Amino acid sequence: MDQKSEDLSIILKSLKQGNLKSYETIYNRFYDELCVYALKYTPDRSLIQDIVQDTFLDLWHQRKKLKIKSSLKGYLYRIVYYKLMDAFKNNSKKNDEYLAFYQSSVKEATIAIEEDDNYKAALLAKLDLCLNKLPKRCKKVFLDKKISGLKYIEISKNLEISIKTVEGHIRRAYALIKVCMHDLNVSSS
């Protein structure tokens, strides 16, 4: 065992006993390194910071039960990795919900369109009007996703914004279109 490993082993034992100074030492030693590691998986720095912070909170809360079989560094890397994967799954679920809403709206519109060509023209005109009311950046993101079929990561890179910002624009676009379509239906009734 090298000196660094011995030092970390002593610090880890001290951490398990609730020594805050040991916790701070581990935090200071690994925080930046874990953030850099997480950058391999996402450019979203706020997500990375949240995940690394959560990792250290879990380390503190679980300190008495810790059973690290390899190294502390490997343990922390694995925790960050699994937390990132969980975050991606949760975002995927949210995106699936938005997609389901979008698909049901399109399905309803398609049924109505098949019933009446005039309704189709009016609905498409309303939708076009609502799309044109979207803020410029929001509209660009929405059209890139829904018309061009780009993935969130592609939009993020093309526009040099975070994936969270892309998600926010998509959510905002849906909300604004929904309100706009409702307002147009109310005023045309």
Side-chain angles (χ1 to χ4, degrees):
M1 194 184 275
D2 65 358
Q3 182 63 39
K4 217 182 227 187
S5 296
E6 278 185 38
D7 291 346
L8 281 176
S9 178
I10 293 167
I11 290 170
L12 190 56
K13 284 179 187 175
S14 182
L15 171 73
K16 286 181 179 183
Q17 295 169 354
N19 184 313
L20 194 55
K21 186 72 173 160
S22 296
Y23 176 74
E24 289 173 2
T25 301
I26 293 169
Y27 182 91
N28 291 332
R29 164 72 175 85
F30 291 105
Y31 180 84
D32 290 338
E33 190 175 330
L34 291 170
C35 287
V36 170
Y37 167 73
L39 274 171
K40 294 178 184 178
Y41 298 98
T42 180
D44 187 342
R45 291 181 188 273
S46 95
L47 175 64
I48 289 170
Q49 290 171 346
D50 289 345
I51 285 176
V52 173
Q53 291 288 346
D54 285 348
T55 299
F56 282 106
L57 283 173
D58 289 352
L59 180 68
W60 179 253
H61 291 295
Q62 301 297 320
R63 69 188 180 277
K64 292 179 183 176
K65 301 178 206 168
L66 281 179
K67 289 185 173 63
I68 299 175
K69 294 179 178 138
S70 59
S71 69
L72 177 60
K73 179 179 177 177
Y75 175 82
L76 292 172
Y77 272 63
R78 276 192 307 279
I79 299 298
V80 167
Y81 174 80
Y82 289 125
K83 285 184 176 292
L84 279 167
M85 294 307 113
D86 286 345
F88 294 152
K89 285 178 193 172
N90 289 338
N91 282 340
S92 177
K93 287 178 187 174
K94 287 178 192 171
N95 293 339
D96 289 346
E97 290 171 11
Y98 291 124
L99 182 59
F101 168 76
Y102 175 74
Q103 288 172 335
S104 69
S105 297
V106 168
K107 185 176 180 181
E108 288 174 22
T110 303
I111 291 169
I113 289 169
E114 289 172 354
E115 294 174 1
D116 183 359
D117 283 338
N118 291 335
Y119 182 79
K120 175 183 175 182
L123 186 61
L124 289 174
K126 287 179 186 178
L127 182 58
D128 189 50
L129 180 65
C130 290
L131 285 173
N132 287 326
K133 286 185 176 183
L134 292 175
K136 186 177 178 182
R137 194 68 174 253
C138 188
K139 179 180 177 183
K140 171 78 173 129
V141 170
F142 186 79
L143 293 177
D144 282 354
K145 176 65 181 158
K146 297 303 172 189
I147 304 300
S148 301
L150 297 178
K151 295 183 180 190
Y152 281 36
I153 190 86
E154 294 171 313
I155 298 168
S156 171
K157 287 179 182 174
N158 290 346
L159 299 178
E160 296 178 348
I161 57 177
S162 73
I163 292 174
K164 287 262 190 212
T165 303
V166 172
E167 292 169 358
H169 280 304
I170 297 294
R171 276 194 302 273
R172 184 172 182 211
Y174 277 131
L176 291 173
I177 290 170
K178 183 177 179 179
V179 168
C180 178
M181 292 295 280
H182 180 265
D183 290 348
L184 289 175
N185 284 336
V186 171
S187 64
S188 63
S189 299

